[in-house]
Amino acid sequence: MQNYFLYQMNLLKYYSILTFCFGGFLFAQLPTPTFIRVEATPNSIAIEWTPIKTADGYEVAIIGKKQQNMYVGNTSLVWTDAKPGNIYSIYILAYQLDGEHSKQCSYWLLTPPEMQPAKMQKNGFVAQWKRSIKTKAEMKVMKQRIVE
C-alpha cells in the first residue's frame, strides 16, 4: 500500500511539472479548424472556417509579399489589403488563453487580376486584364503551391 501511495505522489509531482511548464499535457490539443468558404476579389479575401467549441480565439496568418497576423474571436474574416493577381497563403489555428493550440490548416490562392472594361463587338466582346505573373519562376512557385 505504501508503494502505491508513493507512486501516486510521483505521478502528481510530474503532472504538476508538466502543467507548470507546458500548460497541460503535451498530447492534449485542440481540433484543427477547416475552411468552409474562401472567396477572392482583386482587392480582398473573405474566409470562413469551422468553429472549435473550446477555443478562445483564432490566429489567422495571411502571407503574400509580407506576412500579416491577426487574432480574431469569431470564425470569419474579410481582409482588404490584397493586391490583384498575387499569390497568398492563409493559415488558421485555434488557441486557448492557457496556451493550448491546434494544428494549423492552410489554403493557397491567387487573387483575380484587375479587369479592364470589356469592349463589345458585333459577335461578342473583348476582355483584357493586367498580367499578374511576370516570370517563369513566379509561375513555378504558384504551381507548387496549388499542388500542395
Side-chain angles (χ1 to χ4, degrees), residues 49-122:
W49 58 91
T50 55
I52 305 300
K53 291 181 183 178
T54 56
D56 293 319
Y58 303 90
E59 180 180 3
V60 180
I62 299 179
I63 304 170
K65 293 183 179 178
K66 296 180 182 178
Q67 179 172 338
Q68 185 171 356
N69 289 16
M70 295 155 277
Y71 296 89
V72 295
N74 57 355
T75 58
S76 64
L77 175 73
V78 177
W79 186 62
T80 56
D81 291 338
K83 302 291 183 225
N86 282 337
I87 301 168
Y88 292 97
S89 54
I90 304 167
Y91 299 93
I92 300 173
L93 63 82
Y95 68 86
Q96 290 178 328
L97 295 177
D98 66 1
E100 294 293 328
H101 63 278
S102 69
K103 291 183 179 180
Q104 64 187 15
C105 60
S106 62
Y107 196 93
W108 300 87
L109 66 87
L110 174 65
T111 53
E114 198 168 10
M115 298 291 294
Q116 305 298 323
K119 296 179 183 175
M120 298 303 292
Q121 293 182 341
K122 184 177 180 181

Side-chain angles (χ1 to χ4, degrees), residues 26-46:
L26 294 175
F27 45 80
Q29 193 173 45
L30 291 172
T32 304
T34 56
F35 288 93
I36 297 174
R37 177 178 67 94
V38 179
E39 294 178 3
T41 68
N43 298 309
S44 69
I45 299 171

